[in-house]
Amino acid sequence: MKLSIFGLGHVGLVYAAGFASIGFHVKGFDIDAEKIRMLNRGRLPMVEPNLMELIDSGTKQQRLVFTDDYHDAVLSSDASFVAVDTPLNEEEELDLGQVISAFRMIGESLRKAGGYHIVVIKSTVPPGTTSGIVRETLEKESGKKAFEDFGLAVNPEFMREAHAVQDFFETDRIVIGANDERSRKVVSEIYASFRCPKLITSFNNAEMIKYASNSFLAMKISFINMIANICERIPGSDVEVVAEGMGLDKRITPSLLKPSLGWGGSCWPKDNKVLLDLARSLGVEAPLVESTLEINEGQPLQAIRMAEEALGPLRGRRVAVLGLAFKANTDDVRGAVSRKVIKHLLERGARVVVYDPVAMDNYRALAESNGKTIEYAESGLECIRDADCVIVVTEWEEFKRITQEDYRRAMKRPVLIDGMRIYDAKRYSEITYRAIGLGPQ
Ligand code: UGA
């Protein structure tokens, strides 16, 4: 079976390369011709561990081809997967523009296609989208009937950035939403070699599983962050030990109990917002989703509060921010906590200096400093030099190697705020060390 993938962002590229590696012939399509040129020159448009190697092996074996010609992508394949972005617009509402445009292209090409073709939606869309606008767009553009002339399925993805290749091969489950027998069968065949539980259900359930999963995972982190904020006020308390004790319960599990200055990324912030909007539009209260978002919005302020407690007003203070990416091993700054921390610091008149091993260009491109300049350092050590305070925002390995001695020597006043709990408090006891969820010791 030959596949095409529409949208070569994180999800699309990993699926294109992953499917090629397990034997499919794959055409990866994107409207961004520059991205296609880059990929054809063997360069990755983002940072994602092990992805370039996987792409290289697919292209060398001539099983993976990149194109900006959507007719070619559809007409030379039996199944088209849509993995385009579904971001929020400026009004913070779901923007399905890219999804609709992809289905228009596929529908247009289906008009010319001879045999059976199945269209699979991997993009995160709210319940009702596939049976509604997706189906309508495909039928209108192709002049053909869904479930008779072409197949349609929903197949949400559960990969994490920075672990996406591993998650492709070792996924916990595969969810297939399909309303007709043939679509169910064809998508199941595509995933036949994956040894994991497979859930076959309706369009709406498959769409909802994705939102409910992302919201639940985010809720778990907001929960531990709430506990962290309480622990901080209790002498001798440490949320890391509390989380360890909780995680030993098999029903809780240790995952996603790492306290932080909040969660970010391109998915959870918008997926929680969309779920909340969906609930409200249906006349249902969703207070857990609301609180999950609220706690997350307030969490970066914990770092600001700690800095102010140690230094007084931040106006004129030099504050170093270590880490811009929304998590380690990615250059993605979408929804990153660093952006909120920097915004709060600038609002208080602090002088901000930042460093990230790979996400500096993406951050610069956002130009979010409201006309106020921030300084970009060349390394972690340069970033902390002469600082009144350092805030660790991203859990990069290289930050873990900065010792107490380094901080003491480099900083004007060694106030270290560990927003990701990357240090052992005992080893930093001779400087002012404050950490999320660590009570007075
Ligand atoms: C998330 C989900 O984990 C994936 O299952 C899903 O497929 C994906 O969204 C998506 O919808 O596409 P991702 O956004 O890559 O994946 O990020 P995660 O690794 O889950 O981390 C999210 C945020 O939570 C990061 O900012 C991370 O630093 C933070 N985090 C994570 C914590 O603060 N504490 C933790 O214990 C774990």
Side-chain angles (χ1 to χ4, degrees), residues 11 124 157-163 167 173 210 214 217 221 224-225 254-268 271 326-328 337 420:
V11 175
T124 303
E157 58 81 22
F158 304 104
M159 294 178 329
R160 294 158 303 163
E161 279 184 33
H163 301 271
D167 286 356
R173 82 293 211 186
K210 171 70 187 203
N214 269 0
L217 298 174
I221 300 174
I224 202 66
N225 282 340
S255 69
L256 299 179
L257 290 182
K258 190 167 172 39
S260 61
L261 291 175
W263 40 265
S266 63
C267 303
W268 288 356
D271 290 350
F326 87 95
K327 64 176 170 181
V337 168
M420 285 303 291

Side-chain angles (χ1 to χ4, degrees), residues 70-71 74-75 103-115 117 136-145 149-150:
Y70 60 88
H71 285 309
V74 174
L75 297 176
F103 284 108
R104 279 205 188 113
M105 292 180 206
I106 295 173
E108 218 186 279
S109 305
L110 284 181
R111 191 176 277 277
K112 299 183 188 162
H117 193 96
E136 282 156 28
T137 308
L138 284 170
E139 290 187 334
K140 182 167 165 255
E141 299 295 329
S142 67
K144 295 182 176 175
K145 274 210 82 52
D149 305 324
F150 64 88

